[in-house]
Amino acid sequence: MFKRPRRDVPGLNTTSTADISFMLLIFFLVTSSMDTDKGLPRQLPQPEDMLMEQEVEIKKRNVLELQLDAADRLSCNGEPTDYEMLTQRVEEFVANRLDDPALPEKSEREVHLFGRIRVSDRHVIAVTTDSLTTYNAYFQMQNAIVRGYYHLRNELARSRFGHAYASCSQEERDAIALVYPQRISERTTSPGLSEGERIEGDKGQK
């Protein structure tokens, strides 16, 4: 009987396997697209102990009252409306192009890149929501408001700088935000509970 000689299987060199895996990981991280959540930028109110209580008298003409009830019904100054119409109402209210005495007053100020210009810095959009209002309805309402501001800012950017607001530099955006600042007051009502209110200014909303 003849016995076949045993052959040893050569070992596999895995020295560079870790390097190859690391390079592939970097490749996929660089070339892959990752979804990002989008939302509405808002500045939270300061703690109560940091706020000074101050009564501010606001003329009725300077206030646009919006309300979302427990059934997600939207109204503007007591009249039923939808989100598309709300965007138009916000544009007309904030801009007041014809100096309508029923719409917000304007102030004349010196603004960087614009010089002496009339700005809409006295208006307030007062939002009242019910504690049972759904987040979807609240988000759509806020989106409609922001869209109105964006249309005004985009129009101003094109007329003054020759390009869209999205293409503006930070310096140009800051100047435009002084002409059309976002001034939104929010209040939530709940049966049997006290009302909570917060006022949002311009910081973090440009």
Side-chain angles (χ1 to χ4, degrees):
M1 296 181 66
F2 296 96
K3 293 184 178 180
R4 294 181 180 179
R6 298 183 59 182
R7 296 181 180 179
D8 295 332
V9 178
L12 181 63
N13 187 1
T14 59
T15 304
S16 60
T17 304
D19 295 334
I20 296 175
S21 301
F22 185 68
M23 292 177 63
L24 288 174
L25 177 61
I26 294 178
F27 173 79
F28 287 121
L29 286 175
V30 172
T31 58
S32 299
S33 60
M34 299 183 182
D35 295 333
T36 56
D37 294 333
K38 295 182 179 180
L40 297 171
R42 286 291 181 267
Q43 180 187 28
L44 295 177
Q46 299 179 8
E48 293 183 0
D49 56 352
M50 296 178 62
L51 295 176
M52 296 179 59
E53 293 186 3
Q54 181 179 5
E55 292 186 1
V56 179
E57 183 178 351
I58 302 177
K59 295 182 180 179
K60 185 176 181 180
R61 63 177 291 187
N62 293 333
V63 181
L64 182 69
E65 297 183 358
L66 306 180
Q67 185 171 8
L68 266 177
D69 61 16
D72 292 344
R73 290 185 293 261
L74 176 64
S75 62
C76 179
N77 286 341
E79 300 176 356
T81 187
D82 56 29
Y83 301 112
E84 183 176 351
M85 286 297 299
L86 176 58
T87 297
Q88 298 179 14
R89 292 289 296 270
V90 169
E91 287 186 55
E92 296 172 358
F93 175 77
V94 176
N96 190 12
R97 295 183 175 89
L98 302 178
D99 288 330
D100 190 333
L103 295 177
E105 302 169 290
K106 293 184 177 181
S107 303
E108 188 171 329
R109 295 176 56 183
E110 187 75 24
V111 178
H112 179 55
L113 301 181
F114 287 93
R116 200 72 180 173
I117 188 173
R118 300 184 69 197
V119 302
S120 180
D121 60 348
R122 300 190 184 184
H123 75 274
V124 175
I125 298 180
V127 176
T128 302
T129 58
D130 191 275
S131 60
L132 299 179
T133 299
T134 65
Y135 178 77
N136 182 56
Y138 172 81
F139 183 84
Q140 290 189 60
M141 177 193 63
Q142 288 285 357
N143 194 42
I145 296 173
V146 172
R147 190 163 53 245
Y149 279 107
Y150 183 82
H151 288 170
L152 292 175
R153 293 179 175 186
N154 190 56
E155 178 183 332
L156 183 59
R158 290 187 180 278
S159 64
R160 281 302 182 111
F161 305 125
H163 50 249
Y165 179 74
S167 302
C168 287
S169 64
Q170 188 59 51
E171 183 183 28
E172 292 172 339
R173 292 192 180 200
D174 291 343
I176 293 174
L178 291 176
V179 180
Y180 291 127
Q182 289 188 21
R183 294 172 54 83
I184 304 173
S185 169
E186 295 193 26
R187 181 177 61 184
T188 302
T189 61
S190 179
L193 298 177
S194 59
E195 297 179 348
E197 182 175 6
R198 66 183 185 189
I199 298 180
E200 300 169 349
D202 305 325
K203 295 182 180 179
Q205 301 183 0
K206 299 176 183 176

